[in-house]
Amino acid sequence: MRKHRSVAALVGAICSIATVAGPTGIAGAASQPQSLTFWVSTSSAQLQGWTAIAADYAKLTGTKINIVNIPYSGYTTKLRDAALAGSLPDVADVPSLDPVWVSKLIDLSSIAGNKSYHIYQSALVRDSAGHVLTIPSDITAAGMFINKSLFEKAHVSFPTNPAHTWTWTQFLAAADKVRKATGAKYDLVFDPSPARLRAFVYEFGGNYMHEGANGKFATTAGTYKALQLFKQMSNNVTMPNSVWLSGADPNALFKSGQVVAYWSGVWQTSDFAESITNFQWASVPTPAQPVQASDIEAGGLMVGFNNSSTEAPAAKKFLTWVYKPSTYAKLSSINGFLPVEGNLPIHYPFKSAAAQASFKLYKEEIALAAPISYYFGTAQQAWGLKGKSITTDPTVDQMDLYIQGKQSVQATVSNIIKGYDQQVGGA
Amino acid sequence: MTTLDVEVQRGPAAGTSTKGLPGRPRGRAVAGRSRLSFLGVKPGEGRKFISATTLLWLLAAAYGFPVLWFILSAFKPAGELFSYPLHLLPQHPTVKGFVEAWHSFDVALYFRNTFIVATAATVLTLVTSACSGYALAKYDTIWLKMFFVGMLATTMLPTEVMLAPSFLVVRDLRLYNNLAGVIVPTVYTATGTLMFRQFYKTVPDELLEAGRMDGGSELGLFLRVMVPIARPVFVTLAIFSFVWRWNDYIWPLLVINNPHWFTLQIGIESIVGAQNVNWSVLLGASVIGMAPLLVMYLVFQRFVMNTDLNSGLKG
């Protein structure tokens, strides 16, 4: 009987520990007016920038910033559930706006409109009342990387100045020449991403899918031309089909040294600086045919939540301080951000000359990018403010059917438009 | 008629020994032989060359090789992970991935939290599963039958569907942002209950009747007779349950807000970024994360290998 009692006692003890263990650490965080909770989903390298400015802020104001690094997968769901539980953070760097909690956001117009901050106005969206509810934490752009060692081995030149870029025709001819001369496997790997496909289409003069004044999506002739070329490139020589059709990792393929070029974006720079050691790589200007464009979006969206009359002003004060040019320059330097503010003295910490050159090139390219490059990033924010979002982008699935010859380019475009109309269309 | 059917009808070829494999259907052995012909094994010699142990070793190698590659890759520098040609052994071994992983999040704290969750959930799962499995097997009431149907219904819904309603229940019970909120919803599992129910179904009712005639109470009979004979089921379910809870990711992420109570899988998953993955750090973190399970398996190996679901009932 003693044995039974001890089992029951053990079970009881476990229940008690589990129940008591939780709340002690939590209640304190939310109830202390001198601390703010900041949610972000980032790498340990980029967490350093946030940690550094949070420490500066605590020293300056006495307000502690509790940074919580949330895994990217599950972040959106977690925010939704936190809104349901009335437990949203005070400040957050979110991947997108969600109708579930967008009504709880603080107006950041005074920060966005501060002339001395030089925040790119093209990256901002206002709601119907003229409020700015979010400001990008940084911006990202699609772009091209090459295996410089292969180009040099094949004695093929490549442009280095975005003002004198090449066309896709010239790029493909050069990549083909390099592949044949060096025995590489493919000319190009292309991220299986709607954003990368959009940038590609923009460069051919297409508008991909644009929402008209009537709330219906439509496209232009340049889109068909680009998508047809994309299918021609998906021939297992120019590009491997495995990336779009069966989930092969384009980043890993490029790092293998067997691929001449990689169509991806600025976020790869810090990864390549660290993990490519078996060949030299370089960022090269995005091709223009004839439009010089990219897909420029927010790396993250900074928001403040109106949790209480004490915390909301404190959250706004912190956000104002984050975008102060001296603070933001420090954050961008440590984190390797492409800044959302102009005129900033940023010194990236990379030892790699290729990484330093890459950031310089991206900054020059953004200055030259056609306005259409910003369309989708800002449109997504606008849809979020209207309570809509693209939960499932039909692009990759529809392109897969097109690549496999199961449907025409017209049907592909029509099906993508249908998906957008259903999810975010309507005036 | 399929090739297999043809082979079964023909029976063993001349010279094929069936010695050492008593009770095995002859046709199946021959079908196995025909499948091995591509390995260069002559007809009729399959049994001699490929014994059951050899096949098991091949199977173990098929499962073990990716794990070996994974562990060795954790010792490769980032630049070596994808470089061509691929190498099994690290050319420049390093523990940098482990060090970075260790500093990416508070590994010791997350270990402690995961251990509390996995242990508490496992103990409570064993208690609830044994009690309910026993009741479902040995008592016959309409309410128990309805309960059984309800329990089976929970197995037909994917976890994702249950997330939102479970979250609302946990919130309303004030278990949100609390380790108890992670543990309590996982305590009752249909799998565990079914395991015990199926086991207790095989226990003769006469055993209980004899106990009752000797004056044993229902609780006493359960604790003194039924629990000890179900030790193999306890061990099996304990291992499964501990592994399930150790690897839980999405539920703890949704329920816990304070990083002080985060579990190991949340820490590991935070290394996977939106656009790219720091593979060398992720590999290091994953090896660190699986180490306790490996240790647990080595410690309890004897019980796992000796698990005989009929123990105590023979004779």
Side-chain angles (χ1 to χ4, degrees):
Chain A
M1 208 58 194
R2 190 181 295 162
K3 195 175 170 186
H4 299 155
R5 258 190 239 128
S6 53
V7 170
L10 175 70
V11 171
I14 288 165
C15 294
S16 316
I17 290 168
T19 315
V20 173
T24 47
I26 299 132
S31 63
Q32 284 175 21
Q34 285 307 307
S35 73
L36 295 172
T37 307
F38 172 44
W39 285 7
V40 61
S41 181
T42 189
S43 65
S44 55
Q46 292 198 333
L47 196 60
Q48 288 173 17
W50 293 112
T51 310
I53 65 161
D56 290 349
Y57 192 69
K59 206 180 285 176
L60 193 74
T61 62
T63 302
K64 191 184 172 202
I65 308 295
N66 297 313
I67 302 173
V68 185
N69 189 13
I70 311 278
Y72 188 77
S73 67
Y75 190 18
T76 312
T77 317
K78 183 164 178 63
L79 277 163
R80 282 180 167 221
D81 284 350
L84 281 176
S87 190
L88 284 164
D90 300 302
V91 181
D93 185 4
V94 297
S96 57
L97 298 180
D98 193 319
V100 172
W101 43 257
V102 82
S103 61
K104 298 181 188 232
L105 296 180
I106 296 169
D107 179 20
L108 306 177
S109 302
S110 61
I111 305 171
N114 190 326
K115 297 264 190 273
S116 65
Y117 286 11
H118 302 288
I119 294 174
Y120 298 140
Q121 298 299 303
S122 50
L124 301 175
V125 174
R126 290 175 191 275
D127 68 2
S128 53
H131 299 143
V132 175
L133 300 180
T134 177
I135 301 172
S137 58
D138 61 312
I139 54 176
T140 63
M144 181 78 81
F145 296 91
I146 58 162
N147 184 322
K148 194 178 165 188
S149 300
L150 292 182
F151 269 84
E152 285 173 351
K153 193 175 167 189
H155 302 291
V156 174
S157 62
F158 54 87
T160 52
N161 183 351
H164 306 286
T165 188
W166 45 9
T167 63
W168 273 95
T169 313
Q170 288 166 336
F171 159 73
L172 287 172
D176 224 30
K177 205 170 161 186
V178 172
R179 177 177 55 79
K180 285 172 184 161
T182 58
K185 264 188 115 171
Y186 305 110
D187 289 356
L188 177 70
V189 275
F190 196 119
D191 274 345
S193 148
R196 248 64 82 222
L197 193 67
R198 277 197 294 271
F200 179 71
V201 168
Y202 295 159
E203 284 157 5
F204 282 80
N207 71 353
Y208 194 63
M209 315 290 154
H210 252 57
E211 190 181 10
N214 60 354
K216 294 274 181 194
F217 281 81
T219 193
T220 54
T223 304
Y224 292 99
K225 194 176 155 191
L227 297 187
Q228 281 163 338
L229 176 65
F230 185 85
K231 190 188 174 187
Q232 283 170 29
M233 284 156 55
S234 304
N235 56 5
N236 274 328
V237 177
T238 308
M239 292 200 308
N241 278 347
S242 57
V243 172
W244 277 68
L245 298 184
S246 53
D249 183 355
N251 173 289
L253 280 166
F254 182 67
K255 284 177 184 173
S256 75
Q258 295 284 292
V259 181
V260 177
Y262 181 20
W263 182 237
S264 187
V266 65
W267 52 89
Q268 301 288 2
T269 301
S270 51
D271 178 36
F272 290 171
E274 177 80 14
S275 62
I276 294 183
T277 51
N278 55 337
F279 61 86
Q280 284 191 305
W281 61 276
S283 272
V284 290
T286 54
Q289 193 124 349
V291 180
Q292 190 149 10
S294 180
D295 183 81
I296 300 173
E297 296 192 24
L301 298 171
M302 292 293 283
V303 293
F305 289 100
N306 192 356
N307 286 335
S308 75
S309 56
T310 323
E311 285 155 343
K316 189 165 181 181
K317 191 179 163 194
F318 172 65
L319 283 165
T320 307
W321 185 78
V322 167
Y323 285 101
K324 198 177 153 191
S326 58
T327 315
Y328 190 70
K330 182 175 181 178
L331 177 71
S332 302
S333 298
I334 299 174
N335 282 3
F337 279 172
L338 275 179
V340 73
E341 295 181 14
N343 303 330
L344 281 186
I346 296 175
H347 305 288
Y348 292 113
F350 303 111
K351 289 175 191 158
S352 153
Q356 292 287 1
S358 173
F359 271 101
K360 182 173 171 285
L361 184 127
Y362 271 101
K363 282 207 268 185
E364 290 167 359
E365 282 212 315
I366 286 170
L368 293 169
I372 196 171
S373 310
Y374 290 93
Y375 170 72
F376 217 85
T378 49
Q380 277 178 311
Q381 290 181 50
W383 295 326
L385 292 172
K386 286 182 193 166
K388 301 171 185 175
S389 65
I390 296 180
T391 47
T392 313
D393 194 311
T395 301
V396 176
D397 288 346
Q398 292 302 322
M399 284 303 292
D400 285 356
L401 292 173
Y402 176 45
I403 293 166
Q404 293 175 76
K406 291 182 179 173
Q407 65 184 17
S408 65
V409 68
Q410 285 80 10
T412 305
V413 170
S414 161
N415 289 339
I416 297 172
I417 286 178
K418 211 180 288 171
Y420 285 168
D421 276 341
Q422 279 169 359
Q423 294 181 69
V424 289
Chain B
M1 190 179 282
T2 64
T3 313
L4 186 64
D5 293 333
V6 172
E7 296 288 357
V8 170
Q9 284 184 6
R10 279 180 195 158
T16 305
S17 168
T18 54
K19 213 174 179 180
L21 288 169
R24 281 191 78 178
R26 289 178 170 198
R28 185 174 289 186
V30 178
R33 182 208 68 203
S34 67
R35 285 172 190 167
L36 294 171
S37 57
F38 72 96
L39 292 173
V41 178
K42 289 177 187 171
E45 291 179 355
R47 290 261 186 85
K48 291 175 190 168
F49 281 85
I50 311 290
S51 67
T53 312
T54 313
L55 280 173
L56 286 174
W57 272 111
L58 285 173
L59 207 59
Y63 276 95
F65 185 71
V67 178
L68 180 70
W69 189 291
F70 157 68
I71 292 169
L72 289 172
S73 294
F75 292 94
K76 291 177 184 171
E80 222 179 274
L81 282 170
F82 300 105
S83 61
Y84 187 84
L86 294 170
H87 295 279
L88 174 64
L89 295 172
Q91 303 294 294
H92 304 93
T94 175
V95 291
K96 198 179 164 199
F98 291 92
V99 175
E100 278 186 42
W102 192 266
H103 291 110
S104 296
F105 52 92
D106 194 339
V107 178
L109 178 71
Y110 291 9
F111 252 126
R112 190 204 69 175
N113 295 338
T114 315
F115 188 77
I116 291 173
V117 168
T119 309
T122 300
V123 171
L124 296 173
T125 299
L126 290 177
V127 172
T128 55
S129 301
C131 292
S132 49
Y134 174 69
L136 290 169
K138 294 297 171 195
Y139 296 97
D140 189 22
T141 72
I142 182 73
W143 301 112
L144 276 171
K145 281 178 184 158
M146 287 170 70
F147 178 77
F148 185 56
V149 171
M151 185 200 73
L152 284 180
T154 65
T155 63
M156 293 166 196
L157 291 169
T159 316
E160 290 76 10
V161 175
M162 309 275 278
L163 279 179
S166 302
F167 179 82
L168 294 177
V169 172
V170 162
R171 181 196 63 179
D172 293 344
L173 288 174
R174 296 176 181 275
L175 296 177
Y176 181 67
N177 221 347
N178 190 317
L179 280 187
V182 180
I183 296 165
V184 171
T186 63
V187 163
Y188 188 78
T189 69
T191 312
T193 306
L194 280 172
M195 281 169 74
F196 276 100
R197 179 185 176 273
Q198 293 313 107
F199 174 79
Y200 285 126
K201 275 274 181 197
T202 65
V203 177
D205 288 344
E206 288 77 9
L207 200 64
L208 275 177
E209 293 303 327
R212 284 174 186 142
M213 286 173 74
D214 287 342
S217 68
E218 291 299 309
L219 183 63
L221 282 173
F222 173 66
L223 293 175
R224 289 179 191 172
V225 180
M226 291 298 164
V227 168
I229 62 171
R231 199 181 80 156
V233 187
F234 274 99
V235 173
T236 309
L237 182 59
I239 290 165
F240 279 140
S241 177
F242 195 87
V243 173
W244 291 334
R245 302 294 75 89
W246 190 271
N247 290 329
D248 267 349
Y249 160 63
I250 195 73
W251 182 249
L253 175 69
L254 296 184
V255 173
I256 302 290
N257 267 1
N258 189 331
H260 190 67
W261 299 108
F262 274 180
T263 55
L264 198 57
Q265 300 307 326
I266 299 178
I268 293 173
E269 191 66 26
S270 68
I271 296 168
V272 181
Q275 302 281 9
N276 47 24
V277 181
N278 190 338
W279 285 105
S280 64
V281 180
L282 182 62
L283 285 164
S286 302
V287 171
I288 292 171
M290 70 184 257
L293 292 182
L294 194 67
V295 170
M296 194 187 79
Y297 177 78
L298 291 174
V299 170
F300 293 102
Q301 188 181 195
R302 190 165 57 88
F303 297 104
V304 182
M305 293 307 183
N306 291 338
T307 297
D308 178 357
L309 293 180
N310 291 317
S311 63
L313 297 174
K314 285 176 181 167

